[in-house]
Amino acid sequence: MSTERLTLALDGGKTAILDWDMVNKTLYISPNGKKMLGYSDSELPTSIETWKELAHPEDVKKNFRSFLQHRHKHLKTFEHSYRIRHRHGHWICIFGRAQIIYDAEGHAVRMIGTQTDITKEKELQFKYSHYAQIIEQIHDSVISLDKQGNITSWNKGSEMLFGYSADEMIGRHFSLLCLEEKCSLQTKSIAALEQYGEYKTEIQLKKRSGEPLFVELVLSPLKDNEGKRIGIVSYAHDITDRKEAEERLVEQKRILFYQAHHDALTGLPNRVLFFDRLEQSIRKTKRLGSGFALFFIDLDRFKHINDSLGHSIGDRVLRITAKRIGSMLRQEDTLARLSGDEFTVIMEDLHHPADASYLAEKILAVLQKPMYIDEYTLYISGSIGISLYPEDAADAEDLLKYADTAMYRAKANGRNMFQFYAAAMTAYAIERMEMKTSLKEAIEKEEFVLYYQPQVDALTGHTIGLEALVRWQHPSRGLILPDQFIPLAEETGLIVDIDRWVMKTAMQQVSLWHKEGLIPDMLALNLSIKQLEGHHFLQEIEHCLNAFEFQPHWLELEIPEGQVMKDHKETIAKLQKVHDMGIGISIDDFGTGYSSLSLLKRLPINLLKIDRSFIKDIPFDEEDMAIVKAIIALAGSLKLEIIAEGVETEEQKAFLVENGCTKIQGFYYSKPLSQEKMHHFLQKQF
């Protein structure tokens, strides 16, 4: 029964029994053993020669040599392995474990044991050994990590790539190889491994020397026999050379693109890029509903410089010209060189054509400045043509053509000037230039006059203050109102001289009225931010106060809301000094300048002046009425006085008084009056 069980057990596996009788020279191979070799039980002779013929010659010698050594040492257990040929011609691997039996004289007489087919195990062993050698010898980095990111294996490729030996790295964390900003790699990779089963990226790691290197990194899960993830396998291939080549290629493409789209002499956009920018401006302007201006600039008599001084000097003139024009532009504008001495400018976000003429004036002025090149002092000028989008044309070709046409008109009219494509715009620009010249003369000749408008307490009807308003008494055009010349004065900086004259004249006159007993409580003067920023502004006020015996509390300076919000620190510091002198400060045009409530709290002001634009439609516009109520409430919460300008009707006055604004200025009480008429007005009241 036990023999039967043994036979069944051996037959169920890949194990056979061999029994070598050395005395009778027979070899018993069990049926299962013959079956492993592809033979039936009756096919193989029971002789040791049978084994010698089937076994691999090398293994026969090796095994007999080992057997003799065992016999010589009188060892009883003999383990061996060998290759033996299958009936179909392929080799299978056998592992044997046998017992050597000795007789009374110590001679080996028998060896009996089991023989097991280990072919598949050998193949797997060879395969794994082969893979291990490949991984060890491959020049790419192959690293295994545990679940915490600690390194558990480190091949020779990793040593070559990173400069660390296996002894140095096994047990250390993978983050040692990461640049500081890439330390989140493990978190990202684990999430990707769980979702996709693989994580692939291009990343910059670092060598032992600290030198960075780019690698293509692939992370895969490392699993146990049950399929559970126990770690990560990292494969890293060095792509530093490829990345550097890509960067060189990108840089070469950038250089080629730059060369294809920029002028080699000046570095400005060339004709190709200019048209691209022009098309972009058209699309942008259509979307935003604004406008832009196109300038075509041609240098006057530039050919004479090239012909007389040579192209080298001419090139330097063009480079200087490009810098000078560029210095006049905003960041969003585009300056291009089309060819020769022809330049173009795209002036973006044009809301008023006057802005284009103002820029043209600045460009003409900067071009006229002398150029010092070697021993030469050169003077040039330019002729500028301007077309407007969308007024003049809606496509790029026509806009350029019309600007070019306007430029030739400027040359025909005497050079060193600009022309709009539309004749009406040119006339407006000429009028503007003439007004600018006349404005300078008006300051020198004191052609300005002051008008005064009373500020009234609506509850009593008494005049509580006057606002001084400047007018220009032009010698040929007559009386010019502020809205026709003040914007130009602000653009050119002439507003400072005008404000200075107004302050001196008004304070002197009101001081005289005080001495007559005609005592309005307050003189309100408009103050531009440019005058406030002047170095001698405080000294000028002190001089007027002393010279005209003018009390500080008689004076109130009105600053437009839009201006006072621009430069917080310097504005507050300067206004604080004015306030400390006892002079009142009010915010003019309130509601139109996007005030910051936190800034209003910090400003040393005592009064808000509601802009006339919110008053004119009362009581018909519900929105304006709501805004005025909100401004009055805001002034109350900030403990500021409030006054409304532009009041013309009984309904407007009644609405303001009802809602808490009792200080009124406007035609309802009086239009601005000349000095003589205001004198009479005050005599009647006081």
Side-chain angles (χ1 to χ4, degrees), residues 23-34:
V23 177
N24 298 316
K25 298 182 180 179
T26 59
L27 177 67
Y28 170 77
I29 303 175
S30 68
N32 200 38
K34 295 175 183 179

Side-chain angles (χ1 to χ4, degrees), residues 526-554:
N526 290 294
L527 175 68
S528 70
I529 204 72
K530 289 185 178 179
Q531 186 183 14
L532 180 66
E533 292 171 348
H535 293 302
H536 305 295
F537 173 66
L538 295 176
Q539 292 92 319
E540 290 167 359
I541 289 183
E542 288 181 350
H543 172 75
C544 290
L545 292 173
N546 295 329
F548 307 130
E549 299 178 0
F550 199 98
Q551 297 300 315
H553 64 270
W554 295 348

Side-chain angles (χ1 to χ4, degrees), residues 43 142 253 291 312 371 390 417 599 645:
E43 285 186 278
V142 181
K253 286 182 178 179
S312 176
M371 292 185 186
M417 63 182 301
L599 178 60
E645 63 178 346

Side-chain angles (χ1 to χ4, degrees), residues 176-196:
L176 179 67
L177 304 175
C178 297
L179 297 174
E180 289 184 9
E181 64 271 20
K182 304 296 182 183
C183 285
S184 61
L185 171 66
Q186 189 180 5
T187 305
K188 292 179 181 177
S189 65
I190 288 175
L193 286 173
E194 291 178 352
Q195 186 172 1
Y196 305 110

Side-chain angles (χ1 to χ4, degrees), residues 456-460 628 632 644 647 650-664 668-669:
V456 179
D457 183 340
L459 296 178
T460 64
V628 170
I632 295 171
V647 179
E650 175 65 34
E651 291 84 359
Q652 292 169 350
K653 185 199 88 165
F655 172 81
L656 290 166
V657 172
E658 181 182 345
N659 285 280
C661 177
T662 59
K663 293 185 177 181
I664 304 294
Y668 178 77
Y669 287 107

Side-chain angles (χ1 to χ4, degrees), residues 313-554:
I313 297 295
D315 287 348
R316 292 167 70 179
V317 168
L318 291 174
R319 282 195 289 266
I320 294 171
T321 298
K323 288 182 179 178
R324 287 185 174 182
I325 297 174
S327 68
M328 297 294 103
L329 306 182
R330 301 164 302 172
Q331 188 174 1
E332 60 265 33
D333 300 330
T334 295
L335 170 63
R337 181 187 176 212
L338 293 193
S339 63
D341 61 335
E342 295 176 342
F343 297 86
T344 55
V345 171
I346 302 171
M347 183 184 184
E348 298 277 8
D349 299 324
L350 182 70
H351 298 287
H352 303 288
D355 295 335
S357 61
Y358 179 47
L359 176 60
E361 289 172 10
K362 292 201 299 181
I363 292 174
L364 291 175
V366 77
L367 290 179
Q368 291 181 77
K369 292 182 179 180
M371 292 185 186
Y372 303 101
I373 301 177
D374 295 342
E375 69 271 24
Y376 305 109
T377 301
L378 305 178
Y379 294 90
I380 65 167
S381 61
S383 297
I384 303 175
I386 306 172
S387 62
L388 302 176
Y389 178 90
E391 291 89 338
D392 296 332
D395 66 85
E397 291 287 351
D398 285 346
L399 281 169
L400 183 62
K401 179 174 67 177
Y402 294 159
D404 187 31
T405 299
M407 183 274 294
Y408 277 107
R409 190 186 302 152
K411 282 192 179 293
N413 289 342
R415 305 176 191 271
N416 191 30
M417 63 182 301
F418 66 90
Q419 291 275 318
F420 283 90
Y421 176 70
M425 287 307 306
T426 300
Y428 170 81
I430 291 173
E431 180 185 359
R432 187 174 180 279
M433 282 193 295
E434 290 175 349
M435 181 174 284
K436 178 181 173 183
T437 302
S438 299
L439 195 57
K440 291 180 181 178
E441 294 177 355
I443 293 171
E444 295 171 2
K445 296 177 182 179
E446 294 192 354
E447 293 176 355
F448 299 102
V449 294
L450 283 183
Y451 276 56
Y452 299 88
Q453 187 171 32
Q455 297 175 339
V456 179
D457 183 340
L459 296 178
T460 64
H462 291 156
T463 299
I464 55 175
L466 304 175
E467 180 178 4
L469 302 167
V470 67
R471 305 285 188 265
W472 181 4
Q473 190 65 55
H474 194 278
S476 60
R477 297 174 59 180
L479 194 68
I480 301 177
L481 296 178
D483 59 354
Q484 295 178 269
F485 68 88
I486 289 297
L488 180 61
E490 289 176 341
E491 288 176 7
T492 57
L494 296 173
I495 189 66
V496 175
D497 294 322
I498 295 173
D499 282 348
R500 186 182 296 119
W501 179 85
V502 169
M503 183 173 67
K504 180 185 71 173
T505 306
M507 289 176 69
Q508 185 177 19
Q509 181 58 59
V510 171
S511 180
L512 292 174
W513 285 337
H514 269 273
K515 289 175 182 177
E516 289 184 49
L518 309 175
I519 310 175
D521 290 348
M522 189 71 66
L523 169 65
L525 294 177
N526 290 294
L527 175 68
S528 70
I529 204 72
K530 289 185 178 179
Q531 186 183 14
L532 180 66
E533 292 171 348
H535 293 302
H536 305 295
F537 173 66
L538 295 176
Q539 292 92 319
E540 290 167 359
I541 289 183
E542 288 181 350
H543 172 75
C544 290
L545 292 173
N546 295 329
F548 307 130
E549 299 178 0
F550 199 98
Q551 297 300 315
H553 64 270
W554 295 348

Side-chain angles (χ1 to χ4, degrees), residues 52-70:
K52 289 182 180 179
E53 289 176 5
L54 294 177
H56 195 287
E58 292 179 3
D59 295 344
V60 171
K61 292 179 182 179
K62 181 182 69 173
N63 276 278
F64 268 107
R65 192 181 305 115
S66 178
F67 170 73
L68 293 174
Q69 291 173 353
H70 277 67

Side-chain angles (χ1 to χ4, degrees), residues 36-97:
M36 282 194 298
L37 299 177
Y39 297 96
S40 66
D41 189 34
S42 60
E43 285 186 278
L44 292 178
T46 56
S47 168
I48 192 63
E49 299 301 323
T50 301
W51 182 85
K52 289 182 180 179
E53 289 176 5
L54 294 177
H56 195 287
E58 292 179 3
D59 295 344
V60 171
K61 292 179 182 179
K62 181 182 69 173
N63 276 278
F64 268 107
R65 192 181 305 115
S66 178
F67 170 73
L68 293 174
Q69 291 173 353
H70 277 67
R71 190 180 67 178
H72 178 72
K73 295 179 181 179
H74 210 72
L75 299 175
K76 291 185 178 182
T77 303
F78 178 58
E79 292 184 354
H80 57 291
S81 61
Y82 57 92
R83 290 163 289 176
I84 192 164
R85 189 184 302 276
H86 192 273
R87 182 173 190 169
H88 295 150
H90 60 274
W91 298 99
I92 63 174
C93 296
I94 300 294
F95 173 74
R97 180 177 288 107

